[in-house]
Amino acid sequence: MELVEFYERIGLQAEIVQKLREVREKIDWMEFDSCLKQLMDGRSAASAYENLKTQLGEDEECIKMLCCQLECARRAFAGYQEKQIPDTIYMDTMKCFPRFLEECRKKNGRMFFDRGWWTYRQVSMQLFRIGALEYQFQTYAGENVIALHIPSDADFSIEAVDASLEQAEKFFRMHYRHYYYEKYTCNSWLMSPVLQPLLPEASNIRSFQSRFDIVQVHKDDTEYIGWLFQVPADTEYKDFPAKTSLQKKVRELLLHGGAVGSAYGVMKARRG
C-alpha cells in the first residue's frame, strides 16, 4: 500500500501529514531498516522502541518516531494480507494513530505524538481493533490470555461489546488458531470498583464490569485522570471539567481526598 493512500485511509490529520512529509525526507531509511523490522516483531518490539528513540535523537513533538511507526504500520499491511485478515480490521486498528493525536490535542491544546510507547503493539500485530474493542496477546499467571482494551471512541453498549467479543472469538480461531487461550482479561480505570456507587444501575460501565471477576485493584493508578478529564497531569482538581455526571462525581471524590485507581479483571465464563 502506498504511503499517501495509507495516510488517507486511516484519516491522518492534514497538519500532521505535512510535518511527516518534511521529516520523512530527512530520514535515512536504510540506516533504520533493521530497527524497524525489530519493531514489527512482537518478540523484540518493546526493546526496539527504546533503541529507536536513542537512534532518532532529538525529536521535537516525536514526529520522527511517528513517521517511523507509521512506516511500520504501512508495511504491516502485507502481514495482514498473508494471514487473510480483513482490510477493515487493519484500518480500524491503525486508526489508533489519528485517534491518539486527537486525544493529545484535546488534552494539551496541540497535536504531538505522545503514544509511541504503546503503538508498537499495533504495528507488530500484537493488538487488533475488532468492532468496539481492542484485543492484545498477553499472559496472565503464566497462561496465554487475550487482553481487552477500550478505545476512547468505542460504542460501549451491551450490544456492541457482545458483537465485538463474538467477532473476536471468530477472528482468533480463524487467523491465530495455534494461539491457545482460555481467558479474556482487562486492566483499566473503567474496571475500578470505586466507580460502582458513582454510576446508575443501567450504566454501560457497570454492565462491562459485571462481565469480570476483579483479581487486582490498583488504588494509586492515576491514568484515569487523563482518560476521564482529558487534561494535563499537573491540572488542579478544582479546574477539572465537570460536563458529564461521572466527571462531576469523580471531581467531587478527588476534592474530598478520594481516588478512582484501576483494576485488573478476568472475564467470567461466557454462556452459549
Side-chain angles (χ1 to χ4, degrees):
M1 182 181 299
E2 293 297 322
L3 197 62
V4 172
E5 178 188 359
F6 174 61
Y7 286 175
E8 288 178 353
R9 291 185 67 182
I10 65 172
L12 201 61
Q13 295 88 341
E15 66 180 90
I16 295 296
V17 172
Q18 179 57 39
K19 290 181 179 181
L20 289 169
R21 187 177 295 117
E22 295 170 1
V23 165
R24 188 175 179 83
E25 295 174 354
K26 301 174 183 177
I27 293 177
D28 182 346
W29 292 102
M30 290 294 292
E31 177 185 350
F32 290 99
D33 191 63
S34 176
C35 194
L36 296 189
K37 288 178 180 176
Q38 292 174 32
L39 194 68
M40 294 177 66
D41 185 333
R43 297 164 297 182
S44 57
S47 59
Y49 166 68
E50 296 298 332
N51 292 336
L52 182 58
K53 277 201 303 183
T54 300
Q55 280 189 258
L56 289 172
E58 185 178 350
D59 188 9
E60 186 178 0
E61 298 184 334
C62 294
I63 295 298
K64 288 191 286 187
M65 176 61 76
L66 176 61
C67 190
C68 289
Q69 291 208 15
L70 285 170
E71 172 61 21
C72 291
R74 183 190 70 84
R75 295 182 188 182
F77 183 61
Y80 274 73
Q81 288 186 308
E82 184 179 339
K83 283 190 166 292
Q84 298 183 316
I85 297 174
D87 287 5
T88 52
I89 292 179
Y90 169 73
M91 289 300 169
D92 287 348
T93 299
M94 299 311 173
K95 283 178 181 177
C96 68
F97 287 97
R99 184 176 79 245
F100 289 155
L101 288 161
E102 181 59 24
E103 288 171 1
C104 177
R105 185 193 66 77
K106 288 180 180 178
K107 182 177 176 180
N108 300 285
R110 61 189 181 90
M111 277 193 289
F112 55 92
F113 187 47
D114 62 353
R115 219 66 67 84
W117 56 270
W118 179 257
T119 45
Y120 62 74
R121 295 163 176 81
Q122 282 88 341
V123 304
S124 62
M125 296 178 66
Q126 296 296 296
L127 186 154
F128 305 90
R129 176 77 180 262
I130 305 173
L133 305 175
E134 293 175 330
Y135 299 82
Q136 180 187 353
F137 297 122
Q138 212 170 71
T139 59
Y140 169 70
E143 300 178 32
N144 287 341
V145 298
I146 299 293
L148 273 61
H149 302 290
I150 307 150
S152 61
D153 63 347
D155 177 351
F156 210 36
S157 66
I158 295 173
E159 296 78 12
V161 172
D162 280 342
S164 178
L165 287 166
E166 290 172 10
Q167 293 168 35
E169 288 178 2
K170 293 176 183 177
F171 173 87
F172 290 109
R173 282 200 303 267
M174 181 177 297
H175 304 292
Y176 288 93
R177 60 183 181 276
H178 299 303
Y179 181 82
Y180 178 77
Y181 70 97
E182 291 186 341
K183 298 181 177 72
Y184 289 103
T185 64
C186 185
N187 185 26
S188 172
W189 70 275
L190 289 166
M191 299 291 290
S192 171
V194 175
L195 295 175
Q196 287 277 334
L198 306 181
L199 296 164
E201 190 72 28
S203 80
N204 290 328
I205 296 174
R206 290 188 69 163
S207 172
F208 187 78
Q209 286 187 359
S210 71
R211 298 172 187 263
F212 296 82
D213 291 317
I214 301 302
V215 295
Q216 296 174 12
V217 174
H218 309 290
K219 295 180 180 180
D220 296 329
D221 191 336
T222 59
E223 287 193 4
Y224 67 91
I225 292 175
W227 290 113
L228 178 58
F229 296 101
Q230 296 181 330
V231 294
D234 59 354
T235 304
E236 296 285 342
Y237 293 159
K238 63 181 178 60
D239 296 324
F240 282 6
K243 297 178 181 178
T244 69
S245 174
L246 185 56
Q247 285 178 335
K248 291 175 183 177
K249 291 178 179 178
V250 171
R251 186 178 72 170
E252 191 69 16
L253 179 72
L254 293 170
L255 289 170
H256 286 82
V260 171
S262 65
Y264 190 100
V266 176
M267 186 173 284
K268 301 169 184 175
R270 300 183 68 209
R271 296 177 180 176

